[in-house]
């Protein structure tokens, strides 16, 4: 993990996470320059490196300021941008009343350097609006916590996402922000940038196994799939839940819904690192999609009480991890289904042998 490589000023944030394999390298470039975003770049070189022209990156025309060297080693690149936070509440007649949007590209972000943990491979971007006339952020902030992984495993805190070494986690946190209405709910807009020929698809997988995330039976994935060979290039994966506590328990669950995937070419994400890598004309050369993820129950009471909301998602390269039935659930299913089957089998055998035995009151003549 590198913080602002080649730049000694901490007034801006750029975090480079590099994972080197025997013959390839994965690059994650996180930044809060503009809207918070992450670049995902896969190369077929074990020595590819990130290059940043800081003077150009911080200029009004950042196109070309970020690249991977050697450029010929890049086989896939994409971006995920966290663009806006919406706050809304239900008015009379079940209509939704929206308050002025929080545009994350206009936030002021703290230095990540103070939160960077090279041992745990974690960092946190925390910010507040540059102008806050209503004072909603006087005691609050929006945060994005980043975690990289060296091996496969499962997170301990809920929602206990299953991860691989080819993935990273981002946790969206809304802490201490004063709601502007009774029963306010919040939504996060997430935009993706993909190469032409790569299409985003929203998938939902349901399972009866909720051992690791109690009461949550749905997993959603935003999958980037190539139209040429139908191979999966990258993914953004999350459980259909958020939580209202720093140490989440089952009772802290906040309902999470996902809107439909929309083409967003009409409103390109405002992010300097996206423009710096893909260029100013990336709207015509790349596909931009957006999805809204909303948090809150019918009346938003969970956030009103605790003033805390966290939502975790996994992003990475290749196929998203898939949960299999845990040994505990397999054992329960074996007992639940095996016992009736064993009783039926034993009962059938008893009836079969009992039917073959004949009874008579007469003795045979011969």
């Amino acid at each position: 993990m590198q913080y602002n490589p080649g730049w000694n000023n901490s007034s801006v944030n750029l975090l480079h996470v590099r994972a080197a394999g025997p013959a390839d390298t994965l690059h994650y470039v996180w930044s809060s320059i503009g809207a918070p975003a992450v670049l995902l770049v896969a190369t077929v070189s074990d020595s590819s490196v990130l290059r940043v022209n800081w003077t150009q990156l911080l200029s009004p025309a950042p196109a070309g300021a970020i690249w991977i060297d050697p450029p010929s080693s890049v086989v896939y690149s994409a971006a995920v941008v966290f663009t806006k936070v919406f706050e809304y509440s239900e008015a009379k007649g079940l209509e939704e009343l929206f308050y002025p949007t929080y545009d994350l590209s206009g936030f002021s972000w703290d230095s990540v350097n103070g939160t960077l943990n090279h041992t745990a491979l974690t960092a946190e971007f925390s910010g507040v609006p540059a102008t806050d006339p209503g004072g909603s952020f006087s005691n609050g902030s929006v945060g994005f916590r980043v975690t990289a992984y060296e091996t496969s495993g499962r997170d301990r805190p809920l929602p206990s996402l299953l991860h691989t070494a080819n993935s990273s986690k981002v946790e969206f946190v809304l802490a201490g922000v004063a709601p502007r209405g009774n029963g306010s709910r919040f939504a996060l807009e997430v935009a993706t940038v993909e190469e032409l020929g790569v299409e985003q698809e929203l998938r939902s997988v349901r399972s009866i196994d909720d051992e690791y995330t109690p009461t949550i039976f749905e997993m959603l994935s935003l999958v980037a799939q190539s139209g040429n060979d139908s191979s999966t290039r990258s993914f953004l994966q999350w459980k259909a839940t958020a939580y209202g506590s720093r140490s989440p328990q089952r009772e802290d669950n906040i309902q999470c819904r996902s809107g439909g995937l929309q083409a967003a070419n009409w409103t390109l994400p405002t992010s300097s690192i996206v423009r710096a890598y893909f260029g100013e004309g990336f709207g015509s050369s790349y596909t931009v999609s957006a999805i809204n993820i909303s948090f809150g129950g019918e009346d938003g009471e969970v956030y009103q009480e605790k003033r805390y909301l966290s939502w975790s998602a996994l992003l990475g390269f290749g196929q998203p991890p898939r949960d299999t039935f845990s040994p505990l659930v397999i054992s329960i299913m074996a007992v639940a289904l095996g016992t009736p089957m064993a009783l039926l089998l034993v009962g059938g055998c008893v009836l079969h042998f009992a039917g073959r035995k004949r009874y008579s009151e007469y003795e045979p003549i011969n």
Side-chain angles (χ1 to χ4, degrees):
M1 301 180 77
Q2 295 175 295
Y3 175 69
N4 288 353
W7 185 256
N8 294 324
N9 194 326
S10 61
S11 60
V12 295
N13 292 315
L14 189 147
L15 178 65
H16 176 219
V17 181
R18 181 177 181 272
D24 56 3
T25 306
L26 305 178
H27 298 268
Y28 295 88
V29 186
W30 302 85
S31 178
S32 59
I33 303 174
V38 56
L39 296 174
L40 295 89
V41 184
T43 72
V44 290
S45 169
D46 60 353
S47 59
S48 60
V49 294
L50 175 72
R51 304 294 188 190
V52 182
N53 184 329
W54 283 97
T55 303
Q56 187 176 353
L57 176 62
L58 301 178
S59 72
I66 295 178
W67 70 98
I68 298 295
D69 194 17
S72 59
S73 66
V74 176
V75 292
Y76 173 74
S77 57
V80 177
V81 190
F82 305 97
T83 53
K84 299 173 183 176
V85 174
F86 301 100
E87 182 181 351
Y88 62 98
S89 60
E90 283 190 358
K92 294 182 179 179
L94 299 179
E95 294 180 357
E96 292 177 342
L97 172 64
F98 279 82
Y99 299 96
T101 303
Y102 294 121
D103 189 339
L104 296 180
S105 64
F107 273 46
S108 175
W109 300 91
D110 296 338
S111 173
V112 172
N113 198 31
T115 67
L116 189 58
N117 188 325
H118 288 276
T119 302
L121 300 179
T122 59
E124 181 174 356
F125 297 81
S126 180
V128 297
T131 58
D132 184 25
S136 296
F137 281 80
S138 57
N139 295 310
S141 64
V142 166
F144 292 91
R145 295 174 182 166
V146 176
T147 303
Y149 300 108
E150 291 181 313
T151 59
S152 299
R154 185 183 298 277
D155 276 352
R156 289 185 178 180
L158 292 175
S160 303
L161 293 174
L162 182 67
H163 62 78
T164 68
N166 292 344
S167 59
S168 295
K169 185 181 75 171
V170 58
E171 182 182 1
F172 167 67
V173 177
L174 199 65
V177 178
R180 290 173 285 185
N182 294 327
S184 282
R185 284 174 279 178
F186 295 89
L188 175 66
E189 183 183 72
V190 182
T192 62
V193 180
E194 292 289 345
E195 302 169 343
L196 292 179
V198 178
E199 298 180 353
Q200 289 281 358
E201 180 185 357
L202 181 62
R203 299 176 182 175
S204 173
V205 178
R206 294 182 178 272
S207 172
I208 62 172
D209 187 354
D210 69 336
E211 177 186 357
Y212 299 108
T213 312
T215 73
I216 307 301
F217 301 93
E218 184 180 15
M219 175 79 82
L220 294 109
S221 300
L222 197 58
V223 178
Q225 190 167 329
S226 174
N228 297 330
D229 52 11
S230 299
S231 61
T232 301
R233 302 300 183 88
S234 65
F235 64 87
L236 181 71
Q237 184 184 62
W238 65 95
K239 287 272 192 176
T241 184
Y243 292 95
S245 172
R246 298 179 186 274
S247 301
Q249 304 295 325
R250 184 179 65 179
E251 57 270 18
D252 301 315
N253 170 61
I254 296 177
Q255 192 173 18
C256 173
R257 294 192 180 101
S258 301
L261 188 63
Q262 303 281 339
N265 289 333
W266 65 88
T267 171
L268 301 179
T270 305
S271 174
S272 291
I273 65 165
V274 173
R275 296 184 182 276
Y277 183 83
F278 293 104
E280 294 292 345
F282 72 89
S284 57
S285 304
Y286 297 85
T287 302
V288 183
S289 305
I291 187 172
N292 289 339
I293 301 169
S294 60
F295 316 99
E298 296 301 323
D299 51 11
E301 288 184 358
V302 176
Y303 183 80
Q304 292 279 357
E305 293 175 0
K306 300 187 177 181
R307 299 283 179 91
Y308 189 86
L309 183 153
S310 70
W311 169 78
S312 299
L314 199 70
L315 71 162
F317 299 86
Q319 290 281 357
R322 295 193 63 177
D323 263 320
T324 56
F325 286 114
S326 65
L328 175 62
V329 172
I330 293 175
S331 301
I332 294 173
M333 292 175 64
V335 172
L337 298 177
T339 301
M341 291 298 296
L343 291 174
L344 287 173
L345 182 61
V346 172
C349 292
V350 170
L351 292 175
H352 175 72
F353 288 110
R356 293 181 59 184
K357 189 175 182 180
R358 299 176 181 273
Y359 296 91
S360 174
E361 297 178 357
Y362 300 97
E363 291 294 331
I365 296 175
N366 295 321

